[in-house]
Short mmCIF file of all heavy atoms in Angstrom, two decimals:
data_model
loop_
_atom_site.label_atom_id
_atom_site.label_comp_id
_atom_site.label_asym_id
_atom_site.label_seq_id
_atom_site.Cartn_x
_atom_site.Cartn_y
_atom_site.Cartn_z
N ASP Y 695 19.61 26.14 -5.57
CA ASP Y 695 20.94 26.63 -5.24
C ASP Y 695 21.18 28.06 -5.72
O ASP Y 695 22.29 28.58 -5.65
CB ASP Y 695 22.02 25.70 -5.82
CG ASP Y 695 21.97 25.60 -7.34
OD1 ASP Y 695 21.42 26.53 -7.98
OD2 ASP Y 695 22.49 24.62 -7.90
N GLN Y 722 16.94 26.36 0.61
CA GLN Y 722 18.28 26.70 0.13
C GLN Y 722 19.29 26.19 1.16
O GLN Y 722 19.16 26.49 2.35
CB GLN Y 722 18.41 28.20 -0.03
CG GLN Y 722 19.83 28.69 -0.24
CD GLN Y 722 20.37 28.28 -1.59
OE1 GLN Y 722 19.73 28.51 -2.60
NE2 GLN Y 722 21.53 27.66 -1.60
N VAL Y 723 20.24 25.39 0.72
CA VAL Y 723 21.29 24.90 1.61
C VAL Y 723 22.62 25.50 1.16
O VAL Y 723 23.04 25.32 0.01
CB VAL Y 723 21.38 23.36 1.59
CG1 VAL Y 723 22.52 22.90 2.49
CG2 VAL Y 723 20.06 22.75 2.05
N VAL Y 724 23.27 26.21 2.06
CA VAL Y 724 24.58 26.77 1.78
C VAL Y 724 25.62 25.78 2.28
O VAL Y 724 25.65 25.46 3.47
CB VAL Y 724 24.77 28.13 2.47
CG1 VAL Y 724 26.18 28.67 2.21
CG2 VAL Y 724 23.73 29.11 1.98
N PRO Y 725 26.48 25.26 1.40
CA PRO Y 725 27.47 24.26 1.83
C PRO Y 725 28.52 24.87 2.74
O PRO Y 725 28.91 26.02 2.59
CB PRO Y 725 28.08 23.78 0.52
CG PRO Y 725 27.88 24.90 -0.43
CD PRO Y 725 26.59 25.56 -0.04
N THR Y 726 28.95 24.08 3.72
CA THR Y 726 30.00 24.50 4.63
C THR Y 726 31.11 23.46 4.64
O THR Y 726 30.92 22.33 4.20
CB THR Y 726 29.47 24.66 6.06
OG1 THR Y 726 28.88 23.43 6.48
CG2 THR Y 726 28.44 25.77 6.14
N GLY Y 727 32.25 23.82 5.17
CA GLY Y 727 33.35 22.86 5.29
C GLY Y 727 33.80 22.36 3.94
O GLY Y 727 34.03 23.10 2.99
N GLY Y 729 32.10 20.90 1.83
CA GLY Y 729 31.13 21.18 0.79
C GLY Y 729 31.44 22.44 0.04
O GLY Y 729 31.18 22.58 -1.15
N ILE Y 730 32.03 23.43 0.72
CA ILE Y 730 32.38 24.68 0.05
C ILE Y 730 33.49 24.44 -0.96
O ILE Y 730 33.47 24.95 -2.07
CB ILE Y 730 32.82 25.73 1.09
CG1 ILE Y 730 31.59 26.22 1.86
CG2 ILE Y 730 33.50 26.90 0.41
CD1 ILE Y 730 31.91 27.30 2.87
N ARG Y 731 34.47 23.64 -0.59
CA ARG Y 731 35.57 23.40 -1.51
C ARG Y 731 35.11 22.65 -2.75
O ARG Y 731 35.62 22.85 -3.84
CB ARG Y 731 36.67 22.61 -0.79
CG ARG Y 731 37.36 23.41 0.30
CD ARG Y 731 38.58 22.68 0.82
NE ARG Y 731 38.21 21.47 1.53
CZ ARG Y 731 37.92 21.43 2.82
NH1 ARG Y 731 37.94 22.55 3.53
NH2 ARG Y 731 37.61 20.30 3.42
N ARG Y 732 34.12 21.77 -2.56
CA ARG Y 732 33.65 21.02 -3.71
C ARG Y 732 32.66 21.81 -4.55
O ARG Y 732 32.40 21.49 -5.69
CB ARG Y 732 32.96 19.72 -3.24
CG ARG Y 732 33.91 18.70 -2.63
CD ARG Y 732 33.20 17.37 -2.44
NE ARG Y 732 32.02 17.48 -1.58
CZ ARG Y 732 32.05 17.34 -0.27
NH1 ARG Y 732 33.19 17.10 0.34
NH2 ARG Y 732 30.94 17.42 0.44
N MET Y 733 32.05 22.83 -3.96
CA MET Y 733 30.99 23.57 -4.66
C MET Y 733 31.30 25.05 -4.62
O MET Y 733 30.54 25.88 -4.13
CB MET Y 733 29.63 23.28 -4.00
CG MET Y 733 29.29 21.80 -3.96
SD MET Y 733 27.71 21.47 -3.12
CE MET Y 733 26.57 22.11 -4.33
N THR Y 734 32.45 25.42 -5.13
CA THR Y 734 32.88 26.83 -5.10
C THR Y 734 32.02 27.71 -5.98
O THR Y 734 32.09 28.93 -5.89
CB THR Y 734 34.34 26.94 -5.55
OG1 THR Y 734 34.47 26.35 -6.86
CG2 THR Y 734 35.25 26.21 -4.57
N TRP Y 735 31.20 27.10 -6.81
CA TRP Y 735 30.33 27.87 -7.69
C TRP Y 735 29.12 28.46 -6.96
O TRP Y 735 28.41 29.29 -7.50
CB TRP Y 735 29.79 26.96 -8.81
CG TRP Y 735 29.17 25.73 -8.24
CD1 TRP Y 735 29.78 24.54 -7.98
CD2 TRP Y 735 27.82 25.57 -7.78
NE1 TRP Y 735 28.90 23.66 -7.39
CE2 TRP Y 735 27.69 24.26 -7.27
CE3 TRP Y 735 26.71 26.43 -7.76
CZ2 TRP Y 735 26.51 23.78 -6.75
CZ3 TRP Y 735 25.53 25.94 -7.24
CH2 TRP Y 735 25.45 24.62 -6.74
N HIS Y 736 28.88 28.02 -5.75
CA HIS Y 736 27.61 28.35 -5.08
C HIS Y 736 27.42 29.86 -5.01
O HIS Y 736 28.24 30.58 -4.46
CB HIS Y 736 27.59 27.74 -3.68
CG HIS Y 736 26.21 27.62 -3.13
ND1 HIS Y 736 25.50 28.71 -2.71
CD2 HIS Y 736 25.41 26.55 -2.97
CE1 HIS Y 736 24.32 28.31 -2.29
NE2 HIS Y 736 24.25 27.01 -2.43
N PRO Y 737 26.32 30.38 -5.55
CA PRO Y 737 26.11 31.83 -5.65
C PRO Y 737 25.95 32.52 -4.30
O PRO Y 737 26.12 33.72 -4.21
CB PRO Y 737 24.84 31.95 -6.48
CG PRO Y 737 24.12 30.66 -6.28
CD PRO Y 737 25.20 29.62 -6.14
N PHE Y 738 25.61 31.77 -3.24
CA PHE Y 738 25.41 32.39 -1.93
C PHE Y 738 26.57 32.14 -0.99
O PHE Y 738 26.50 32.47 0.18
CB PHE Y 738 24.10 31.90 -1.29
CG PHE Y 738 22.89 32.35 -2.03
CD1 PHE Y 738 22.09 31.45 -2.70
CD2 PHE Y 738 22.56 33.69 -2.06
CE1 PHE Y 738 20.98 31.88 -3.39
CE2 PHE Y 738 21.43 34.13 -2.74
CZ PHE Y 738 20.65 33.21 -3.41
N ARG Y 739 27.63 31.55 -1.49
CA ARG Y 739 28.80 31.35 -0.64
C ARG Y 739 29.50 32.68 -0.42
O ARG Y 739 29.74 33.43 -1.34
CB ARG Y 739 29.75 30.34 -1.29
CG ARG Y 739 31.06 30.19 -0.52
CD ARG Y 739 31.96 29.18 -1.21
NE ARG Y 739 33.27 29.20 -0.58
CZ ARG Y 739 34.37 29.64 -1.16
NH1 ARG Y 739 34.32 30.12 -2.38
NH2 ARG Y 739 35.52 29.60 -0.53
N ARG Y 740 29.86 32.97 0.82
CA ARG Y 740 30.54 34.21 1.15
C ARG Y 740 31.81 33.91 1.94
O ARG Y 740 31.80 33.10 2.86
CB ARG Y 740 29.65 35.12 2.00
CG ARG Y 740 28.38 35.57 1.26
CD ARG Y 740 28.71 36.56 0.14
NE ARG Y 740 27.52 37.03 -0.51
CZ ARG Y 740 27.00 36.48 -1.61
NH1 ARG Y 740 27.58 35.44 -2.16
NH2 ARG Y 740 25.91 36.99 -2.15
N SER Y 741 32.90 34.55 1.57
CA SER Y 741 34.16 34.32 2.26
C SER Y 741 34.56 35.49 3.14
O SER Y 741 35.42 35.37 4.00
CB SER Y 741 35.28 34.05 1.25
OG SER Y 741 35.40 35.12 0.34
N THR Y 742 33.94 36.64 2.95
CA THR Y 742 34.29 37.81 3.76
C THR Y 742 33.25 38.01 4.85
O THR Y 742 32.13 37.50 4.78
CB THR Y 742 34.32 39.07 2.88
OG1 THR Y 742 33.00 39.33 2.38
CG2 THR Y 742 35.28 38.89 1.71
N GLY Y 745 30.25 39.75 3.55
CA GLY Y 745 29.44 38.87 2.72
C GLY Y 745 28.60 37.92 3.54
O GLY Y 745 27.44 37.67 3.23
N ARG Y 746 29.19 37.38 4.62
CA ARG Y 746 28.42 36.44 5.43
C ARG Y 746 27.26 37.13 6.14
O ARG Y 746 26.21 36.54 6.34
CB ARG Y 746 29.35 35.78 6.46
CG ARG Y 746 30.26 34.71 5.85
CD ARG Y 746 30.94 33.90 6.94
NE ARG Y 746 31.83 34.70 7.77
CZ ARG Y 746 33.11 34.89 7.49
NH1 ARG Y 746 33.64 34.35 6.39
NH2 ARG Y 746 33.87 35.61 8.29
N GLN Y 749 24.41 37.32 3.75
CA GLN Y 749 24.03 36.05 3.13
C GLN Y 749 22.58 35.67 3.43
O GLN Y 749 21.81 35.31 2.52
CB GLN Y 749 24.96 34.95 3.63
CG GLN Y 749 24.72 33.59 3.00
CD GLN Y 749 25.66 32.56 3.59
OE1 GLN Y 749 25.38 31.97 4.62
NE2 GLN Y 749 26.80 32.36 2.95
N GLU Y 752 20.08 37.78 1.50
CA GLU Y 752 20.03 37.46 0.07
C GLU Y 752 19.23 36.18 -0.17
O GLU Y 752 18.40 36.11 -1.08
CB GLU Y 752 21.46 37.30 -0.47
CG GLU Y 752 22.23 38.60 -0.56
CD GLU Y 752 23.59 38.40 -1.20
OE1 GLU Y 752 23.72 37.44 -2.00
OE2 GLU Y 752 24.51 39.17 -0.93
N ILE Y 753 19.51 35.16 0.63
CA ILE Y 753 18.80 33.89 0.45
C ILE Y 753 17.32 34.06 0.71
O ILE Y 753 16.47 33.57 -0.04
CB ILE Y 753 19.40 32.82 1.39
CG1 ILE Y 753 20.82 32.47 0.95
CG2 ILE Y 753 18.54 31.57 1.40
CD1 ILE Y 753 21.53 31.51 1.88
N GLN Y 777 22.47 25.46 6.57
CA GLN Y 777 23.88 25.39 6.23
C GLN Y 777 24.42 24.03 6.61
O GLN Y 777 24.02 23.46 7.62
CB GLN Y 777 24.68 26.49 6.94
CG GLN Y 777 24.39 27.89 6.45
CD GLN Y 777 25.33 28.92 7.06
OE1 GLN Y 777 26.06 28.61 7.98
NE2 GLN Y 777 25.32 30.12 6.52
#
Side-chain angles (χ1 to χ4, degrees):
D695 62 22
Q722 168 70 51
V723 178
V724 178
T726 57
I730 288 182
R731 292 190 292 273
R732 291 191 301 270
M733 304 178 71
T734 56
W735 52 269
H736 200 287
F738 293 112
R739 174 180 172 248
R740 297 289 183 267
S741 57
T742 65
R746 284 192 296 271
Q749 183 182 86
E752 290 185 26
I753 292 175
Q777 291 187 349

